[in-house]
Structure formats: structure tokens, C-alpha cells
């Protein structure tokens, strides 16, 4: 069974480069409905909590620093088969490996500053959505 919710955030590089609008347009044109959205800034501690699953990986410290370096735009998105379809829309983690036309191929600068996050499972989509949004912020 596949769920109809995924979680994303536009990362600091894409917000500061002015790519957020173009990325949101692509997301909507791909059939995702925005259930919740805001502009926010993560503290290093909060970024560390969000990426806790990666805490043993060598890039964890830099990732937390980078994700707290500027504003982000977190969103909850709705579509049939949301998690898998959204991962296809954003492309591979490393933009040099991302399919042409994907969001990361178009907008990411590097494997670390890669423009956008997408949940990797239905379970994590729920956890990540709850990390940023209360029930009252979802429409
Ligand atoms: N990341 C990095 N170096 C790497 C792999 C990942 O800086 O070698 C960063 C990158 O920002 C990535 C995030 O850590 O988006 C989470 O990694 P993950 O493997 O979960 O990739 P994603 O699910 O975002 O494609
Ligand atoms: Mg991931």
C-alpha cells in the first residue's frame, strides 16, 4: 500500500538563489497539492534532530550546519503514490546523477546543497510532516 502524503523542504541554497517559486510551480504542475507550507529557519540543534538518521555519516556535521544556514520552505504535499512520485520529480541526491529535467538536475548546486528534500518512505513522511506542522496548519 502506498500513501498519498509526502514531506519536502526547499533547502537554503534554493531559497537564497530565488529558485523557490520555480520549484513550487514544478511541484504543482506535477500534480501535487500543497496541504501546508511556511518559511522557517532551523537551529543547528533542530537540523540535527531532523537528520538524526544520518548522525553516523561523515557529512552529518556539515549537513546540519548547512541546513541551519538560512531560511527553508517546508511543505506537506498530497498526491496518489506521493513519496515515490516526488522522489522521481526531484531526482538523485547527487545532481550530477539526477535525470535531466528533475528539480535537482535543474536547481541543485552540489550533492550537499541539493536544493530540495523529499521523504523516503510513507512512515518518514508522517514523522517529518509532524516535525514541522501541527494538524491546525494543514488545509
Ligand atoms: N548529503 C551530503 N553528502 C552525501 C550524501 C548526502 O551532504 O554524500 C546530504 C544531502 O543534502 C542529502 C542529505 O544529506 O540530501 C540526506 O542524504 P540522503 O542520503 O537521505 O539523500 P536524499 O534522501 O536527500 O536524496
Ligand atoms: Mg533521505
Amino acid at each position: 500500500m502506498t500513501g498519498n502524503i509526502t514531506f519536502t523542504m526547499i533547502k537554503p541554497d534554493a531559497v537564497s538563489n530565488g529558485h523557490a517559486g520555480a520549484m513550487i510551480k514544478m511541484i504543482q504542475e506535477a500534480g501535487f497539492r500543497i496541504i501546508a507550507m511556511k518559511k522557517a529557519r532551523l537551529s543547528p540543534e533542530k537540523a540535527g534532530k531532523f537528520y538524526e538518521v544520518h548522525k553516523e555519516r561523515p557529512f552529518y556535521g556539515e549537513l546540519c550546519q548547512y541546513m541551519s544556514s538560512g531560511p527553508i520552505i517546508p511543505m506537506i504535499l498530497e498526491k496518489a503514490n506521493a513519496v515515490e512520485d516526488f522522489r522521481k520529480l526531484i531526482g538523485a541526491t547527487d545532481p550530477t546523477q539526477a535525470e535531466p529535467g528533475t528539480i535537482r538536475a535543474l536547481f541543485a548546486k552540489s550533492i550537499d546543497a541539493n536544493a530540495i528534500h523529499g521523504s523516503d518512505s510513507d512512515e518518514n513522511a508522517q514523522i517529518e510532516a509532524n516535525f514541522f506542522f501541527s494538524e491546525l496548519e494543514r488545509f
Side-chain angles (χ1 to χ4, degrees):
M1 244 230 354
T2 56
N4 63 350
I5 295 293
T6 193
F7 172 81
T8 183
M9 55 186 163
I10 300 178
K11 296 187 178 184
D13 58 295
V15 174
S16 66
N17 287 339
H19 292 144
M23 290 164 66
I24 291 167
K25 185 164 188 270
M26 279 183 74
I27 291 167
Q28 289 184 310
E29 285 177 353
F32 292 87
R33 189 177 80 80
I34 299 169
I35 290 180
M37 173 166 70
K38 62 187 168 190
K39 198 170 183 187
R41 185 154 180 182
L42 288 170
S43 64
E45 294 72 31
K46 214 170 166 199
K49 204 158 174 237
F50 185 87
Y51 281 111
E52 204 154 27
V53 290
H54 294 310
K55 69 169 178 284
E56 306 303 336
R57 297 176 76 179
F59 57 82
Y60 179 69
E62 279 177 28
L63 175 62
C64 298
Q65 215 176 352
Y66 159 63
M67 287 303 299
S68 57
S69 67
I72 55 164
I73 300 176
M75 289 177 261
I76 304 174
L77 304 175
E78 180 183 62
K79 184 186 181 299
N81 201 35
V83 166
E84 193 185 337
D85 285 3
F86 193 72
R87 297 284 307 197
K88 272 192 206 135
L89 179 67
I90 68 176
T93 310
D94 179 351
T96 67
Q97 305 296 314
E99 284 279 310
T102 58
I103 291 178
R104 280 169 166 165
L106 289 166
F107 299 110
K109 287 195 293 201
S110 60
I111 190 169
D112 46 316
N114 62 0
I116 194 159
H117 169 82
S119 304
D120 62 6
S121 67
D122 292 339
E123 190 193 353
N124 283 335
Q126 295 296 337
I127 292 169
E128 291 169 0
N130 292 338
F131 189 90
F132 280 95
F133 296 103
S134 72
E135 285 302 327
L136 291 172
E137 292 173 296
R138 305 176 193 201
F139 307 97

